[in-house]
Amino acid sequence: MADQMTGLLSGWLRRRRLDKADPYLRGRVLDYGCGVGMLASYCTREGYLGVDIDGPSLEIARARHPGYRFATVLPPGRERFDTIVALAVIEHVPRPAALLRQFARRLEPDGTIILTTPHPSLEWVHTLGASIGLFSSEASEEHEELIDLRRMRELGDEARLTVQTYERFLFGANQLFVLGHGAARGRGEDVEPLHEKADAAEEEQV
Protein backbone atom coordinates (compact mmCIF):
# COMPACT_ATOMS: atom_id res chain seq x y z
CA MET A 1 0.00 0.00 0.00
CA ALA A 2 1.25 3.47 -0.82
CA ASP A 3 2.22 5.72 2.06
CA GLN A 4 -0.99 7.73 2.33
CA MET A 5 -0.84 11.15 4.02
CA THR A 6 -3.86 12.78 2.40
CA GLY A 7 -6.08 13.35 5.45
CA LEU A 8 -5.78 16.49 7.56
CA LEU A 9 -5.17 14.38 10.68
CA SER A 10 -3.19 11.56 9.05
CA GLY A 11 0.18 12.91 10.20
CA TRP A 12 -1.05 13.36 13.76
CA LEU A 13 -2.47 9.82 13.82
CA ARG A 14 0.81 8.42 12.58
CA ARG A 15 2.79 10.22 15.27
CA ARG A 16 0.45 8.83 17.94
CA ARG A 17 1.09 5.30 16.63
CA LEU A 18 4.83 5.90 16.63
CA ASP A 19 4.73 7.23 20.20
CA LYS A 20 2.83 4.10 21.31
CA ALA A 21 5.39 1.80 19.68
CA ASP A 22 8.46 3.67 20.91
CA PRO A 23 8.63 2.20 24.47
CA TYR A 24 8.74 -1.34 23.05
CA LEU A 25 11.55 -0.81 20.54
CA ARG A 26 14.79 -2.60 21.29
CA GLY A 27 17.68 -4.22 19.48
CA ARG A 28 17.39 -4.97 15.78
CA VAL A 29 14.15 -3.57 14.38
CA LEU A 30 12.18 -4.66 11.31
CA ASP A 31 9.77 -1.90 10.26
CA TYR A 32 7.26 -3.71 8.04
CA GLY A 33 5.15 -1.35 5.98
CA CYS A 34 7.62 1.42 6.77
CA GLY A 35 6.27 3.98 4.29
CA VAL A 36 8.52 7.04 4.25
CA GLY A 37 10.50 5.66 7.19
CA MET A 38 9.30 7.78 10.09
CA LEU A 39 10.08 5.01 12.58
CA ALA A 40 13.73 5.08 11.48
CA SER A 41 14.21 8.24 13.55
CA TYR A 42 13.54 6.12 16.65
CA CYS A 43 16.19 3.50 15.73
CA THR A 44 19.91 3.22 15.04
CA ARG A 45 21.21 2.93 11.47
CA GLU A 46 22.83 -0.44 12.07
CA GLY A 47 19.79 -1.87 13.86
CA TYR A 48 17.03 -0.94 11.42
CA LEU A 49 15.47 -2.44 8.30
CA GLY A 50 12.43 -0.81 6.66
CA VAL A 51 10.33 -2.83 4.20
CA ASP A 52 7.55 -1.46 1.99
CA ILE A 53 6.15 -2.38 -1.41
CA ASP A 54 5.71 1.25 -2.45
CA GLY A 55 8.78 2.41 -4.37
CA PRO A 56 8.13 6.18 -4.23
CA SER A 57 7.71 6.00 -0.45
CA LEU A 58 11.04 4.20 -0.15
CA GLU A 59 12.74 6.86 -2.26
CA ILE A 60 11.57 9.45 0.25
CA ALA A 61 12.67 7.25 3.14
CA ARG A 62 16.18 6.83 1.74
CA ALA A 63 16.51 10.56 1.13
CA ARG A 64 15.39 11.39 4.66
CA HIS A 65 17.43 8.68 6.37
CA PRO A 66 20.77 8.16 4.60
CA GLY A 67 22.64 5.09 5.79
CA TYR A 68 19.50 3.23 6.87
CA ARG A 69 18.44 0.03 5.10
CA PHE A 70 15.22 -0.02 3.10
CA ALA A 71 13.88 -2.74 0.80
CA THR A 72 10.73 -3.71 -1.10
CA VAL A 73 10.79 -7.29 0.26
CA LEU A 74 12.28 -9.07 3.23
CA PRO A 75 15.81 -10.15 2.30
CA PRO A 76 16.18 -13.94 1.93
CA GLY A 77 18.04 -15.82 4.61
CA ARG A 78 17.80 -16.24 8.35
CA GLU A 79 18.12 -12.65 9.51
CA ARG A 80 16.17 -12.25 12.74
CA PHE A 81 15.00 -9.26 14.71
CA ASP A 82 14.45 -8.33 18.35
CA THR A 83 11.48 -6.13 17.42
CA ILE A 84 9.14 -6.38 14.45
CA VAL A 85 6.86 -3.38 13.94
CA ALA A 86 3.81 -3.19 11.68
CA LEU A 87 1.80 -0.04 12.33
CA ALA A 88 -1.60 0.18 10.63
CA VAL A 89 -0.67 -2.74 8.37
CA ILE A 90 -2.43 -5.93 9.44
CA GLU A 91 -5.92 -4.59 8.60
CA HIS A 92 -4.81 -4.32 4.95
CA VAL A 93 -3.57 -7.92 4.67
CA PRO A 94 -5.88 -10.59 3.16
CA ARG A 95 -4.22 -13.38 5.20
CA PRO A 96 -3.20 -11.91 8.59
CA ALA A 97 -2.34 -15.31 10.12
CA ALA A 98 0.18 -15.93 7.32
CA LEU A 99 1.76 -12.54 8.00
CA LEU A 100 2.11 -13.35 11.70
CA ARG A 101 3.67 -16.73 10.88
CA GLN A 102 6.20 -14.94 8.68
CA PHE A 103 6.97 -12.54 11.51
CA ALA A 104 7.33 -15.41 13.99
CA ARG A 105 9.97 -17.05 11.80
CA ARG A 106 11.98 -13.82 11.77
CA LEU A 107 11.63 -13.09 15.48
CA GLU A 108 14.32 -13.78 18.07
CA PRO A 109 13.17 -16.18 20.83
CA ASP A 110 12.70 -13.31 23.30
CA GLY A 111 11.65 -10.74 20.69
CA THR A 112 8.35 -8.92 20.33
CA ILE A 113 5.99 -7.95 17.52
CA ILE A 114 4.34 -4.54 17.78
CA LEU A 115 1.10 -3.99 15.89
CA THR A 116 -1.41 -1.17 15.75
CA THR A 117 -4.80 -1.42 14.05
CA PRO A 118 -8.19 0.31 14.26
CA HIS A 119 -10.79 -1.21 16.59
CA PRO A 120 -13.74 -2.78 14.70
CA SER A 121 -16.39 -1.19 16.92
CA LEU A 122 -15.31 2.31 15.87
CA GLU A 123 -14.81 1.71 12.16
CA TRP A 124 -17.58 4.23 11.54
CA VAL A 125 -15.38 6.97 13.04
CA HIS A 126 -12.62 6.22 10.55
CA THR A 127 -15.09 5.96 7.66
CA LEU A 128 -16.76 9.25 8.57
CA GLY A 129 -13.41 10.99 9.06
CA ALA A 130 -12.20 9.74 5.68
CA SER A 131 -15.38 10.95 3.98
CA ILE A 132 -14.84 14.53 5.18
CA GLY A 133 -11.08 14.60 4.59
CA LEU A 134 -9.78 14.19 8.15
CA PHE A 135 -8.26 10.76 7.47
CA SER A 136 -6.95 9.03 4.36
CA SER A 137 -9.85 7.79 2.22
CA GLU A 138 -7.46 5.50 0.31
CA ALA A 139 -6.33 3.72 3.48
CA SER A 140 -9.91 3.34 4.70
CA GLU A 141 -11.03 1.74 1.43
CA GLU A 142 -8.15 -0.78 1.53
CA HIS A 143 -9.15 -2.40 4.83
CA GLU A 144 -9.44 -6.19 4.54
CA GLU A 145 -10.35 -7.07 8.14
CA LEU A 146 -10.53 -5.12 11.37
CA ILE A 147 -9.23 -7.19 14.26
CA ASP A 148 -10.15 -7.04 17.95
CA LEU A 149 -8.46 -8.70 20.93
CA ARG A 150 -10.35 -11.98 20.60
CA ARG A 151 -9.52 -12.27 16.91
CA MET A 152 -5.87 -11.35 17.49
CA ARG A 153 -5.59 -14.13 20.05
CA GLU A 154 -6.94 -16.57 17.46
CA LEU A 155 -4.47 -15.36 14.85
CA GLY A 156 -1.66 -15.51 17.40
CA ASP A 157 -2.51 -19.12 18.23
CA GLU A 158 -2.19 -20.02 14.55
CA ALA A 159 1.27 -18.46 14.47
CA ARG A 160 2.24 -19.82 17.93
CA LEU A 161 2.39 -16.31 19.32
CA THR A 162 0.86 -14.86 22.48
CA VAL A 163 -0.66 -11.43 23.01
CA GLN A 164 1.55 -10.14 25.81
CA THR A 165 0.30 -6.55 25.99
CA TYR A 166 -2.89 -4.93 24.74
CA GLU A 167 -4.02 -1.31 24.93
CA ARG A 168 -6.63 0.83 23.25
CA PHE A 169 -5.71 4.43 22.53
CA LEU A 170 -6.96 7.47 20.61
CA PHE A 171 -10.11 7.32 22.73
CA GLY A 172 -10.54 3.61 22.05
CA ALA A 173 -10.52 3.93 18.26
CA ASN A 174 -7.09 2.34 17.84
CA GLN A 175 -5.31 -0.62 19.39
CA LEU A 176 -1.77 -1.59 20.33
CA PHE A 177 -0.82 -5.27 20.41
CA VAL A 178 2.52 -6.65 21.58
CA LEU A 179 3.00 -10.32 20.72
CA GLY A 180 5.80 -12.75 21.46
CA HIS A 181 6.73 -16.40 21.77
CA GLY A 182 6.34 -16.39 25.56
CA ALA A 183 3.39 -16.16 27.96
CA ALA A 184 1.30 -13.05 28.41
CA ARG A 185 2.75 -10.59 30.90
CA GLY A 186 1.19 -9.53 34.16
CA ARG A 187 -2.21 -11.19 34.07
CA GLY A 188 -1.27 -14.32 32.16
CA GLU A 189 -3.89 -15.09 29.53
CA ASP A 190 -6.29 -12.55 31.01
CA VAL A 191 -4.98 -9.56 29.09
CA GLU A 192 -7.45 -6.71 29.37
CA PRO A 193 -7.67 -3.40 27.46
CA LEU A 194 -6.26 -0.34 29.21
CA HIS A 195 -8.15 2.21 27.16
CA GLU A 196 -9.76 4.01 30.12
CA LYS A 197 -6.40 4.95 31.56
CA ALA A 198 -4.96 5.79 28.14
CA ASP A 199 -7.93 7.95 27.16
CA ALA A 200 -7.75 9.93 30.38
CA ALA A 201 -4.09 10.73 29.69
CA GLU A 202 -4.94 11.81 26.13
CA GLU A 203 -7.73 14.08 27.32
CA GLU A 204 -5.22 15.88 29.52
CA GLN A 205 -2.98 16.47 26.50
CA VAL A 206 -5.72 17.90 24.26
Side-chain angles (χ1 to χ4, degrees):
M1 185 186 73
D3 189 14
Q4 306 293 348
M5 289 289 286
T6 57
L8 292 175
L9 296 181
S10 293
W12 177 77
L13 291 174
R14 178 169 295 180
R15 288 191 295 273
R16 295 295 293 120
R17 292 193 291 262
L18 292 168
D19 289 343
K20 283 294 178 183
D22 183 29
Y24 300 97
L25 299 175
R26 65 180 184 84
R28 295 176 54 77
V29 175
L30 168 62
D31 183 8
Y32 193 88
C34 66
V36 296
M38 291 179 67
L39 188 72
S41 300
Y42 296 69
C43 307
T44 64
R45 286 185 178 87
E46 62 275 11
Y48 175 88
L49 170 62
V51 173
D52 201 289
I53 62 173
D54 187 58
S57 294
L58 291 184
E59 290 181 10
I60 296 172
R62 293 186 179 106
R64 290 180 176 178
H65 305 283
Y68 285 76
R69 283 199 303 159
F70 294 97
T72 54
V73 295
L74 267 172
R78 299 183 178 181
E79 183 176 7
R80 292 195 174 192
F81 302 88
D82 301 293
T83 310
I84 297 176
V85 183
L87 306 182
V89 169
I90 198 166
E91 66 268 21
H92 300 284
V93 177
R95 298 172 57 207
L99 179 66
L100 290 182
R101 286 194 294 270
Q102 181 183 28
F103 286 169
R105 290 192 294 270
R106 293 288 188 144
L107 192 65
E108 293 286 4
D110 61 344
T112 53
I113 299 167
I114 305 168
L115 309 174
T116 65
T117 188
H119 193 276
S121 68
L122 293 173
E123 182 180 12
W124 66 270
V125 174
H126 197 280
T127 302
L128 176 61
S131 70
I132 61 176
L134 293 179
F135 312 136
S136 167
S137 59
E138 295 90 344
S140 177
E141 292 168 358
E142 292 173 357
H143 287 168
E144 293 281 348
E145 177 185 1
L146 294 184
I147 297 166
D148 61 8
L149 177 57
R150 181 186 298 274
R151 177 62 173 147
M152 187 63 76
R153 283 172 168 160
E154 294 173 352
L155 295 170
D157 287 344
E158 293 185 44
R160 297 185 178 181
L161 295 166
T162 301
V163 177
Q164 298 181 343
T165 301
Y166 173 66
E167 180 180 344
R168 287 175 69 175
F169 63 102
L170 291 176
F171 308 103
N174 218 316
Q175 303 168 101
L176 170 79
F177 295 93
V178 180
L179 296 88
H181 293 297
R185 296 172 182 166
R187 299 186 181 187
E189 290 297 319
D190 187 26
V191 179
E192 295 294 340
L194 305 176
H195 61 277
E196 292 181 359
K197 179 179 179 180
D199 285 354
E202 287 172 359
E203 288 172 359
E204 293 176 359
Q205 296 172 5
V206 174

